[in-house]
Amino acid sequence: PVVGALVSVLGTNLSTITDVEGRFTLKDIPEKAQRIRVKYIGMQPKDVKIRPVMNITLDFEKKLSFFVQAGVGVSGYNFSADNDENIYEGNNHLYIQGGVGLNYNFSTYFSLQPSVNVVTKGCRNMWRISSDTQGEVDVNPIYFEVPVLIAARFIISDFGKLIFNAGPYAAIGIVGKAKYTDSWDGSSRKFNLFSGEEALLKRFDAGVQAGFAYEIKHIGFSYTFGYGLLKPFKEWNKEWGATPHNISHNFGLKYIF
């Protein structure tokens, strides 16, 4: 028997859940109601025509499913200024990302969600002031990012599921450019972020992500917060302030096959 399955009368607010024997009773069903929907996490929902006595069998959901996703977000570094000679500010950078992943259901309520994404997070208008220079740097790196998340799923309506997920991620910088603009004379120059003598960023990054999503059949809408645990810059003087870390907020759209 399926214990705790949600049984809803379609077109009404009437619903109940199955007992320890998998049985349910619905009373005062409107005459216009024709069908009920039975849903349970980890099993395929089923619509059934209303009868006085019903014997309903639910099929298990697929253990493994694949998805594609895309999103937009804002990213930056959590700078803090301790004195006047400092990199003291970095505006959030609007970025895009896209990738593929899989969902492995290892229990009724929990699943594993690894994915591979291309992410263009960075920082805009990063200021540096010292006794002999004043300017700003736009940082535009592109990463391969691999999050491995654990997800918990809950049915909240007849149409969708609410999902909370969290877990670590690892990322490697593919390519990226930075542009430095001198505020005194207006001159500017570009340089590579991950290679060369002027390289600004370390190529490897890792951290944690957490977020939530709402899925309606094959479509999912999500929000994810990411925080890097490693130092992103190759060189950082403690006199400039506390060590910054990658921070990102992403809003995504997912299609599940």
Side-chain angles (χ1 to χ4, degrees):
V2 178
V3 181
L6 176 66
V7 183
S8 304
V9 180
L10 296 179
T12 75
N13 294 323
L14 189 62
S15 65
T16 187
I17 59 173
T18 56
D19 60 21
V20 293
E21 295 182 345
R23 300 176 183 272
F24 66 91
T25 301
L26 289 166
K27 298 180 179 179
D28 301 322
I29 299 176
E31 292 185 4
K32 65 178 183 179
Q34 299 292 321
R35 303 180 71 82
I36 64 169
R37 176 172 294 159
V38 185
K39 300 179 71 174
Y40 188 74
I41 290 291
M43 294 186 171
Q44 297 283 358
K46 181 172 288 188
D47 292 0
V48 181
K49 186 175 180 180
I50 296 175
R51 294 185 177 88
V53 178
M54 292 172 281
N55 185 11
I56 303 169
T57 301
L58 297 181
D59 298 321
F60 283 100
E61 284 184 344
K62 295 183 296 184
K63 278 284 186 182
L64 190 66
S65 60
F66 296 89
F67 59 84
V68 295
Q69 60 186 1
V72 298
V74 291
S75 65
Y77 305 108
N78 59 334
F79 294 112
S80 63
D82 291 343
N83 53 49
D84 293 334
E85 187 166 331
N86 203 335
I87 294 178
Y88 71 90
E89 180 180 304
N91 293 332
N92 287 330
H93 170 79
L94 182 65
Y95 73 94
I96 60 173
Q97 78 168 49
V100 297
L102 63 86
N103 187 84
Y104 176 72
N105 299 315
F106 58 82
S107 75
T108 300
Y109 293 101
F110 296 97
S111 63
L112 183 68
Q113 294 181 333
S115 61
V116 178
N117 305 287
V118 176
V119 185
T120 62
K121 60 186 178 183
C123 185
R124 191 168 55 84
N125 300 340
M126 186 172 70
W127 277 87
R128 169 75 188 276
I129 292 178
S130 67
S131 59
D132 59 354
T133 184
Q134 177 175 325
E136 64 181 34
V137 182
D138 288 342
V139 180
N140 299 291
I142 300 176
Y143 291 92
F144 267 132
E145 189 174 88
V146 182
V148 180
L149 308 180
I150 299 294
R153 301 172 293 165
F154 304 92
I155 291 178
I156 62 170
S157 73
D158 288 345
F159 303 102
K161 296 175 287 189
L162 182 63
I163 299 171
F164 296 93
N165 52 37
Y169 77 84
I172 185 168
I174 310 168
V175 68
K177 290 283 187 179
K179 180 181 179 181
Y180 174 78
T181 303
D182 192 299
S183 298
W184 288 349
D185 61 19
S187 63
S188 64
R189 58 188 174 86
K190 294 183 179 180
F191 55 91
N192 292 323
L193 283 173
F194 299 113
S195 61
E197 294 181 357
E198 295 183 302
L200 187 65
L201 299 180
K202 296 179 180 178
R203 193 173 292 274
F204 184 73
D205 183 39
V208 293
Q209 291 184 356
F212 60 89
Y214 184 68
E215 293 182 358
I216 307 173
K217 294 185 178 180
H218 293 284
I219 304 296
F221 305 91
S222 65
Y223 164 76
T224 304
F225 171 75
Y227 184 83
L229 298 177
L230 302 183
K231 301 175 182 179
F233 293 96
K234 284 193 171 184
E235 295 183 8
W236 188 265
N237 192 324
K238 291 183 179 180
E239 294 180 355
W240 297 343
T243 302
H245 296 269
N246 276 312
I247 292 179
S248 62
H249 302 266
N250 178 263
F251 299 88
L253 178 65
K254 176 191 296 185
Y255 183 83
I256 305 156
F257 295 96

